[in-house]
PDB file of all heavy atoms in Angstrom:
ATOM      1  N   PHE A 478      33.553  52.883 -40.995  1.00  0.00           N
ATOM      2  CA  PHE A 478      32.299  52.966 -41.742  1.00  0.00           C
ATOM      3  C   PHE A 478      32.183  51.868 -42.785  1.00  0.00           C
ATOM      4  O   PHE A 478      31.107  51.354 -43.044  1.00  0.00           O
ATOM      5  CB  PHE A 478      32.163  54.313 -42.442  1.00  0.00           C
ATOM      6  CG  PHE A 478      31.879  55.479 -41.542  1.00  0.00           C
ATOM      7  CD1 PHE A 478      32.154  56.767 -41.967  1.00  0.00           C
ATOM      8  CD2 PHE A 478      31.329  55.321 -40.285  1.00  0.00           C
ATOM      9  CE1 PHE A 478      31.885  57.860 -41.168  1.00  0.00           C
ATOM     10  CE2 PHE A 478      31.058  56.398 -39.470  1.00  0.00           C
ATOM     11  CZ  PHE A 478      31.341  57.676 -39.913  1.00  0.00           C
ATOM     12  N   SER A 479      33.296  51.529 -43.431  1.00  0.00           N
ATOM     13  CA  SER A 479      33.233  50.554 -44.517  1.00  0.00           C
ATOM     14  C   SER A 479      33.379  49.107 -44.044  1.00  0.00           C
ATOM     15  O   SER A 479      33.256  48.188 -44.847  1.00  0.00           O
ATOM     16  CB  SER A 479      34.296  50.867 -45.573  1.00  0.00           C
ATOM     17  OG  SER A 479      35.580  50.839 -45.001  1.00  0.00           O
ATOM     18  N   ALA A 480      33.613  48.891 -42.759  1.00  0.00           N
ATOM     19  CA  ALA A 480      33.689  47.524 -42.227  1.00  0.00           C
ATOM     20  C   ALA A 480      32.347  46.832 -42.424  1.00  0.00           C
ATOM     21  O   ALA A 480      31.287  47.430 -42.216  1.00  0.00           O
ATOM     22  CB  ALA A 480      34.061  47.553 -40.754  1.00  0.00           C
ATOM     23  N   ASP A 481      32.380  45.571 -42.849  1.00  0.00           N
ATOM     24  CA  ASP A 481      31.143  44.837 -43.158  1.00  0.00           C
ATOM     25  C   ASP A 481      30.146  44.862 -42.002  1.00  0.00           C
ATOM     26  O   ASP A 481      28.943  45.026 -42.228  1.00  0.00           O
ATOM     27  CB  ASP A 481      31.461  43.381 -43.520  1.00  0.00           C
ATOM     28  CG  ASP A 481      32.113  43.262 -44.884  1.00  0.00           C
ATOM     29  OD1 ASP A 481      32.048  44.241 -45.658  1.00  0.00           O
ATOM     30  OD2 ASP A 481      32.690  42.202 -45.168  1.00  0.00           O
ATOM     31  N   LEU A 482      30.629  44.692 -40.789  1.00  0.00           N
ATOM     32  CA  LEU A 482      29.738  44.665 -39.627  1.00  0.00           C
ATOM     33  C   LEU A 482      28.894  45.937 -39.542  1.00  0.00           C
ATOM     34  O   LEU A 482      27.712  45.885 -39.233  1.00  0.00           O
ATOM     35  CB  LEU A 482      30.557  44.487 -38.345  1.00  0.00           C
ATOM     36  CG  LEU A 482      29.775  44.424 -37.048  1.00  0.00           C
ATOM     37  CD1 LEU A 482      28.879  43.187 -37.030  1.00  0.00           C
ATOM     38  CD2 LEU A 482      30.719  44.398 -35.864  1.00  0.00           C
ATOM     39  N   PHE A 483      29.479  47.071 -39.861  1.00  0.00           N
ATOM     40  CA  PHE A 483      28.765  48.346 -39.822  1.00  0.00           C
ATOM     41  C   PHE A 483      28.021  48.609 -41.136  1.00  0.00           C
ATOM     42  O   PHE A 483      26.834  48.908 -41.138  1.00  0.00           O
ATOM     43  CB  PHE A 483      29.744  49.488 -39.536  1.00  0.00           C
ATOM     44  CG  PHE A 483      29.096  50.839 -39.458  1.00  0.00           C
ATOM     45  CD1 PHE A 483      28.502  51.277 -38.289  1.00  0.00           C
ATOM     46  CD2 PHE A 483      29.073  51.677 -40.561  1.00  0.00           C
ATOM     47  CE1 PHE A 483      27.899  52.528 -38.215  1.00  0.00           C
ATOM     48  CE2 PHE A 483      28.474  52.926 -40.513  1.00  0.00           C
ATOM     49  CZ  PHE A 483      27.891  53.348 -39.330  1.00  0.00           C
ATOM     50  N   ALA A 484      28.733  48.506 -42.265  1.00  0.00           N
ATOM     51  CA  ALA A 484      28.178  48.883 -43.575  1.00  0.00           C
ATOM     52  C   ALA A 484      26.937  48.086 -43.956  1.00  0.00           C
ATOM     53  O   ALA A 484      26.030  48.610 -44.594  1.00  0.00           O
ATOM     54  CB  ALA A 484      29.246  48.745 -44.656  1.00  0.00           C
ATOM     55  N   GLU A 485      26.880  46.824 -43.570  1.00  0.00           N
ATOM     56  CA  GLU A 485      25.724  45.998 -43.913  1.00  0.00           C
ATOM     57  C   GLU A 485      24.517  46.253 -43.021  1.00  0.00           C
ATOM     58  O   GLU A 485      23.412  45.835 -43.346  1.00  0.00           O
ATOM     59  CB  GLU A 485      26.111  44.517 -43.843  1.00  0.00           C
ATOM     60  CG  GLU A 485      27.105  44.113 -44.916  1.00  0.00           C
ATOM     61  CD  GLU A 485      27.599  42.685 -44.758  1.00  0.00           C
ATOM     62  OE1 GLU A 485      27.170  41.993 -43.806  1.00  0.00           O
ATOM     63  OE2 GLU A 485      28.432  42.270 -45.582  1.00  0.00           O
ATOM     64  N   ARG A 486      24.708  46.943 -41.911  1.00  0.00           N
ATOM     65  CA  ARG A 486      23.622  47.114 -40.951  1.00  0.00           C
ATOM     66  C   ARG A 486      23.190  48.566 -40.724  1.00  0.00           C
ATOM     67  O   ARG A 486      22.166  48.816 -40.119  1.00  0.00           O
ATOM     68  CB  ARG A 486      24.021  46.496 -39.617  1.00  0.00           C
ATOM     69  CG  ARG A 486      24.297  45.008 -39.743  1.00  0.00           C
ATOM     70  CD  ARG A 486      24.539  44.369 -38.405  1.00  0.00           C
ATOM     71  NE  ARG A 486      24.892  42.981 -38.500  1.00  0.00           N
ATOM     72  CZ  ARG A 486      24.054  41.998 -38.752  1.00  0.00           C
ATOM     73  NH1 ARG A 486      22.797  42.249 -38.969  1.00  0.00           N
ATOM     74  NH2 ARG A 486      24.476  40.756 -38.794  1.00  0.00           N
ATOM     75  N   VAL A 487      23.968  49.527 -41.185  1.00  0.00           N
ATOM     76  CA  VAL A 487      23.629  50.925 -40.925  1.00  0.00           C
ATOM     77  C   VAL A 487      22.385  51.331 -41.719  1.00  0.00           C
ATOM     78  O   VAL A 487      22.246  51.017 -42.896  1.00  0.00           O
ATOM     79  CB  VAL A 487      24.826  51.858 -41.231  1.00  0.00           C
ATOM     80  CG1 VAL A 487      25.177  51.872 -42.704  1.00  0.00           C
ATOM     81  CG2 VAL A 487      24.550  53.262 -40.722  1.00  0.00           C
ATOM     82  N   LEU A 488      21.468  52.003 -41.043  1.00  0.00           N
ATOM     83  CA  LEU A 488      20.232  52.477 -41.660  1.00  0.00           C
ATOM     84  C   LEU A 488      20.309  53.969 -41.974  1.00  0.00           C
ATOM     85  O   LEU A 488      19.979  54.406 -43.065  1.00  0.00           O
ATOM     86  CB  LEU A 488      19.035  52.217 -40.747  1.00  0.00           C
ATOM     87  CG  LEU A 488      18.743  50.750 -40.427  1.00  0.00           C
ATOM     88  CD1 LEU A 488      17.684  50.643 -39.346  1.00  0.00           C
ATOM     89  CD2 LEU A 488      18.326  50.020 -41.683  1.00  0.00           C
ATOM     90  N   ASP A 489      20.709  54.747 -40.987  1.00  0.00           N
ATOM     91  CA  ASP A 489      20.822  56.191 -41.143  1.00  0.00           C
ATOM     92  C   ASP A 489      21.627  56.740 -39.976  1.00  0.00           C
ATOM     93  O   ASP A 489      21.969  56.003 -39.058  1.00  0.00           O
ATOM     94  CB  ASP A 489      19.446  56.865 -41.230  1.00  0.00           C
ATOM     95  CG  ASP A 489      18.526  56.495 -40.074  1.00  0.00           C
ATOM     96  OD1 ASP A 489      19.013  56.272 -38.953  1.00  0.00           O
ATOM     97  OD2 ASP A 489      17.306  56.423 -40.293  1.00  0.00           O
TER      98      ASP A 489
END
Side-chain angles (χ1 to χ4, degrees):
F478 288 159
S479 59
D481 288 344
L482 181 64
F483 181 83
E485 293 174 0
R486 299 186 184 284
V487 66
L488 298 171
D489 53 33

